[in-house]
Amino acid sequence: MSAQPDLLIARMKSGDQTAFTRVYDRYQEALHGVIYNIVKNRDVSEEILQDVFIKIWNNSDSYDSQQGRFFTWALNISRNASIDYLRSKRHKDSLKNLSSDNFVDILETSDDLDTATNAIYLKKWVEKLEPICIKIIDIIFFKGFTFNDGAKELEIPSGTLKTRHRKCMMALRNMILN
């Protein structure tokens, strides 16, 4: 992150609402893409995005630039909020109201990693990873699977998936930072 975004984040952390508005303008599109890719519903994804920015504003003091990039911190808040929604009673109740035809269509038309990475501008980096890393990042990060469910999907032991996930994320991080 360059000095200008660091200054913007620092101003937001000190309560500057104009800085917060600029942070919103800068990151909302990418974060919305991640949220939408997980929840697959435009109205819900916009609602979650607003909740995410409220969390960012209210918890900005917990962000530490020494621990990582602001975008990564905000991305994790977005991802976690989206997964929380999918696990919520509200979401489960909404699925009960779907016809079986609609439900089958949702399962068959789930977006692939290519679409997801376009949404957050990581495509050029993710494509350089090994094929297994692409699958793992897609299942765990973009689709929100737990490690146990992801292991079943990939037909590998959960411990193996965790180890490979860690290696894949390190490879992606090293690629981006170098």
Side-chain angles (χ1 to χ4, degrees), residues 120-138:
I120 61 168
Y121 312 106
L122 291 176
K123 181 179 180 181
K124 68 178 182 176
W125 301 110
V126 174
E127 284 180 339
K128 293 179 183 178
L129 294 172
E130 298 176 37
I132 188 65
C133 287
I134 294 170
K135 286 181 186 177
I136 289 171
I137 290 171
D138 181 39

Side-chain angles (χ1 to χ4, degrees), residues 14-62:
S14 70
D16 184 333
Q17 292 180 355
T18 302
F20 175 72
T21 301
R22 288 188 180 148
V23 167
Y24 179 87
D25 291 342
R26 182 180 205 124
Y27 295 103
Q28 64 91 16
E29 186 177 333
L31 297 178
H32 183 261
V34 170
I35 295 166
Y36 179 77
N37 189 58
I38 294 171
V39 301
K40 309 287 191 243
N41 180 305
R42 183 149 316 278
D43 292 335
V44 171
S45 64
E46 289 172 3
E47 184 179 322
I48 292 171
L49 180 67
Q50 296 308 311
D51 291 342
V52 164
F53 274 98
I54 290 170
K55 288 178 184 177
I56 288 171
W57 175 256
N58 290 335
N59 300 310
S60 62
D61 286 342
S62 68

Side-chain angles (χ1 to χ4, degrees), residues 98-156:
L98 295 175
S99 72
S100 60
D101 291 339
N102 191 18
F103 187 66
V104 169
D105 184 55
I106 289 170
L107 291 176
E108 290 175 352
T109 60
S110 62
D111 290 340
D112 59 20
L113 179 61
D114 190 47
T115 303
T117 53
N118 278 335
I120 61 168
Y121 312 106
L122 291 176
K123 181 179 180 181
K124 68 178 182 176
W125 301 110
V126 174
E127 284 180 339
K128 293 179 183 178
L129 294 172
E130 298 176 37
I132 188 65
C133 287
I134 294 170
K135 286 181 186 177
I136 289 171
I137 290 171
D138 181 39
I139 286 175
I140 299 300
F141 190 80
F142 292 109
K143 292 183 178 167
F145 280 53
T146 64
F147 281 106
N148 288 335
D149 291 340
K152 288 176 189 171
E153 180 76 15
L154 294 172
E155 300 177 350
I156 60 176

Side-chain angles (χ1 to χ4, degrees), residues 1 65 67-69 72 122 124-125 169-178:
M1 190 186 285
S65 62
Q67 298 293 320
R69 296 173 41 164
T72 304
L122 291 176
K124 68 178 182 176
W125 301 110
M169 293 306 290
M170 287 301 293
L172 182 60
R173 180 180 180 181
N174 289 336
M175 218 184 304
I176 291 170
L177 295 177
N178 293 327

Side-chain angles (χ1 to χ4, degrees), residues 60-78:
S60 62
D61 286 342
S62 68
Y63 168 67
D64 180 2
S65 62
Q66 301 301 315
Q67 298 293 320
R69 296 173 41 164
F70 177 80
F71 179 74
T72 304
W73 180 76
L75 191 66
N76 284 327
I77 292 172
S78 300

